[in-house]
Amino acid sequence: MDFRFAVAENAEHLAPLNAQLIRDEGHRNAMTVEQLVEKRMSGNVTIRRVGADEATACVQPLSDILIDCVEGGASVSFMLPISRESAVMFWRKVADSVALGERVLLIAEDSSGRIVGTVQLITAQPENQPHRADIAKMLVHRKARKTGVGQRLMAEVERVALEENKHVLVLDTVTGGDAERLYQRAGWQRVGTVPNYALMPDGELCGTTFYSKQV
């Protein structure tokens, strides 16, 4: 009998077998093959903080991610069709803000050094809220989704928040979107929802849900 390691392409065949094993034998590994693949692939991603100079150098690949997310239907302040010019202008402003110490920029890189995700910690707050920060623009390229990148980005931005002495974090997201499940799994508390708060990239109204977390 020949043996070999299973690969991602085998997931559709192995997942039912894994589920049956859990039912029949009470096997302690309750993850599907897809989840096992996600866990393995996330280990190939590096999350790190970038300074102002590097943020400027990353404008083009970050623009690729923003354009991909908007074209994929993400409501992140931009409408379709999104131009490269507007994406580049946005990330240049982010780089300037990083240089001023107003925010922290994190990127996720795959094993080849390609940027596949990003998130920001906005530290510049009113003088009566020095302990607070906002989480913004948590973006993952569609090709890198379901590999744990979003979860890794959120864990790292929370760690950086503590380094920056920020203990109350706030974010918002499209009501009912996939990101809500990510935030809830990470322990974020749902504060409330504002109906018809923003527009989806195609112009359809959408609600926005606010979350907070004490770290």
Side-chain angles (χ1 to χ4, degrees):
M1 181 179 294
D2 294 328
F3 295 91
R4 63 181 176 84
F5 287 107
V7 296
E9 288 72 18
N10 302 135
E12 64 175 309
H13 303 294
L14 294 178
L17 297 176
N18 190 49
Q20 187 64 47
L21 178 62
I22 294 167
R23 289 194 298 269
D24 294 346
E25 306 294 338
H27 196 279
R28 70 176 60 185
N29 177 17
M31 288 190 290
T32 65
V33 172
E34 290 92 335
Q35 290 170 324
L36 290 168
V37 170
E38 175 179 329
K39 183 177 180 180
R40 178 182 63 80
M41 292 182 67
S42 68
N44 296 328
V45 172
T46 300
I47 312 294
R48 63 185 181 88
R49 179 175 181 168
V50 297
D53 290 341
E54 190 175 5
T56 299
C58 291
V59 163
Q60 295 299 333
L62 287 172
S63 296
D64 291 338
I65 293 175
L66 177 59
I67 292 170
D68 176 76
C69 289
V70 174
E71 291 180 345
S75 178
V76 288
S77 305
F78 292 86
M79 303 296 291
L80 288 172
I82 178 173
S83 68
R84 187 161 199 88
E85 180 182 4
S86 61
V88 167
M89 185 180 301
F90 170 77
W91 287 111
R92 284 177 176 165
K93 289 180 179 179
V94 169
D96 291 342
S97 184
V98 170
L100 292 172
E102 298 172 338
R103 69 185 65 205
V104 175
L105 176 64
L106 300 181
I107 60 172
E109 296 173 308
D110 64 16
S111 57
S112 67
R114 183 173 65 97
I115 299 177
V116 295
T118 181
V119 69
Q120 298 172 43
L121 178 75
I122 302 177
T123 55
Q125 301 295 337
E127 62 180 281
N128 69 334
Q129 301 169 42
H131 57 294
R132 191 179 73 76
D134 294 329
I135 307 295
K137 293 297 184 290
M138 207 286 288
L139 306 171
V140 177
H141 196 284
R142 282 179 287 178
K143 291 182 179 179
R145 292 180 188 170
K146 298 187 183 302
T147 62
V149 174
Q151 182 179 2
R152 293 273 305 279
L153 282 166
M154 290 304 296
E156 182 63 11
V157 78
E158 289 178 23
R159 188 191 68 77
V160 171
L162 287 174
E163 286 184 350
E164 298 292 324
N165 202 30
K166 301 293 184 178
H167 300 283
V168 179
L169 306 180
V170 177
L171 62 79
D172 65 79
T173 188
V174 173
T175 303
D178 292 339
E180 280 206 80
R181 291 190 291 274
L182 170 65
Y183 302 140
Q184 290 168 3
R185 289 197 302 267
W188 285 72
Q189 300 300 308
R190 184 176 182 275
V191 177
T193 296
V194 180
N196 301 326
Y197 185 85
L199 297 176
M200 298 298 286
D202 62 2
E204 181 180 354
L205 283 166
C206 64
T208 296
T209 301
F210 292 83
Y211 283 84
S212 69
K213 189 172 186 179
Q214 309 277 330
V215 296

